[in-house]
């Protein structure tokens, strides 16, 4: 099915809500990374060191119902709506919009301070720099333009209160991934349909660091498989 250009907005993850926490674990399982880390993200979300937000289809998206059906058909455990209950974002108080909204998130994205270990030695991240991480879009809706819409929205929000970002950074699996077929088959993971690095570069992000063996997973036989990564950044203000 060909989808029209999606419209999305972002709603903060409520780290105090068992339903929000459970849903994030479910989506990290679907993503294939870091489901076991969600509990450790709770205090970081509270202080603003992480700023996780749900990706939510806007009511202005004419194909919203079709997309939600496609998503929930693939992930039936995510069929129940969540309630917008987060009373903080970016470590600051947040007033919940009224009337309170219910929503079914189709992914999530995080903005946080740029980690020191990813700093650029030639041009260090200054105040107002933020790091994009934990970016996931429902596999049922990938290649529909939803990721692009989510990044557009995240970049716009990053330049606004309370973050006021001037620079954004992120990392991605290196687009040169020799032997990826064998690796993904051993790990029983789907091979990505495109390179995230190339996608970010087309959005204006520039590589400034290579990281060998940045990510790893262990297959059912106990063998460890590795991915090289790159760090990229983009001035947005």
């Amino acid at each position: 099915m060909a989808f029209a250009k999606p419209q999305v907005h972002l709603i903060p993850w409520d780290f105090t809500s068992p339903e929000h926490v459970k849903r994030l674990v479910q989506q990290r399982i679907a993503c294939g990374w870091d489901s076991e880390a969600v509990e450790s993200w709770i205090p970081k979300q509270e202080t603003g060191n992480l700023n996780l937000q749900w990706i939510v289809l806007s009511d202005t998206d004419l194909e919203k119902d079709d997309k939600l059906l496609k998503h929930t058909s693939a992930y039936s455990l995510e069929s129940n709506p969540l309630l917008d209950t987060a009373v903080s974002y970016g470590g600051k108080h947040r007033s919940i919009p009224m009337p309170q909204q219910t929503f079914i998130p189709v992914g999530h994205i995080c903005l946080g301070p740029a980690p020191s270990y990813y700093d650029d030695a030639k041009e260090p991240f200054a105040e107002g720099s933020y790091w994009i991480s934990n970016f996931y879009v429902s596999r049922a809706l990938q290649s529909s333009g939803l990721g692009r819409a989510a990044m557009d929205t995240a970049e716009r929000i990053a330049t606004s209160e309370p973050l006021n970002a001037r620079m954004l950074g992120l990392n991605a699996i290196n687009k040169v991934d020799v032997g990826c077929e064998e690796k993904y088959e051993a790990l029983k993971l789907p091979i990505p349909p495109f390179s995230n690095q190339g996608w970010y570069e087309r959005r204006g992000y520039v590589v400034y660091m290579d990281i060998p063996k940045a990510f790893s997973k262990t297959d059912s036989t106990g063998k460890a498989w590795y991915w090289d990564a790159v760090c990229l950044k983009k001035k947005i203000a």
Side-chain angles (χ1 to χ4, degrees), residues 26-46:
Q26 291 168 339
Q27 290 199 353
R28 295 312 297 177
I29 291 172
C31 170
W33 297 93
D34 296 334
S35 60
E36 72 286 350
V38 170
E39 288 291 334
S40 70
W41 295 344
I42 291 175
K44 296 178 182 179
Q45 182 83 2
E46 183 175 12

Side-chain angles (χ1 to χ4, degrees), residues 82-95:
L82 299 178
L83 187 63
D84 181 0
T85 52
V87 295
S88 69
Y89 177 70
K92 298 181 180 180
H93 175 74
R94 170 182 180 260
S95 297

Side-chain angles (χ1 to χ4, degrees), residues 92-170:
K92 298 181 180 180
H93 175 74
R94 170 182 180 260
S95 297
I96 299 172
M98 292 295 171
Q100 233 169 335
Q101 180 181 357
T102 59
F103 61 94
I104 295 178
V106 293
H108 53 269
I109 191 169
C110 180
L111 284 165
S116 59
Y117 48 85
Y118 287 146
D119 208 355
D120 184 351
K122 295 181 180 179
E123 189 181 352
F125 284 106
E127 184 178 355
S129 299
Y130 282 86
W131 195 258
I132 296 174
S133 62
N134 303 316
F135 183 20
Y136 166 73
V137 170
S138 170
R139 294 191 188 279
L141 299 176
Q142 288 180 0
S143 300
S144 68
L146 184 59
R148 180 176 63 253
M151 278 293 289
D152 289 345
T153 303
E155 290 179 357
R156 185 174 67 252
I157 289 175
T159 60
S160 306
E161 287 286 350
L163 302 183
N164 298 312
R166 300 176 182 177
M167 176 83 72
L168 291 178
L170 49 83

Side-chain angles (χ1 to χ4, degrees), residues 172-200:
I173 291 173
N174 195 309
K175 59 186 175 185
V176 179
D177 192 12
V178 178
C180 67
E181 293 85 357
E182 182 184 6
K183 175 168 54 185
Y184 281 90
E185 182 178 354
L187 293 167
K188 296 180 172 57
L189 293 172
I191 296 176
F194 58 88
S195 162
N196 283 345
Q197 177 187 343
W199 188 79
Y200 289 126

Side-chain angles (χ1 to χ4, degrees), residues 6-9 55-61 63-65 67-68 101 104 106 141 146:
Q7 304 291 325
V8 305
H9 60 282
I55 299 171
V56 180
L57 293 168
S58 172
D59 290 338
T60 60
D61 188 327
E63 295 175 337
K64 175 181 178 179
D65 291 342
K67 291 172 183 174
L68 285 180
Q101 180 181 357
I104 295 178
V106 293
L141 299 176
L146 184 59

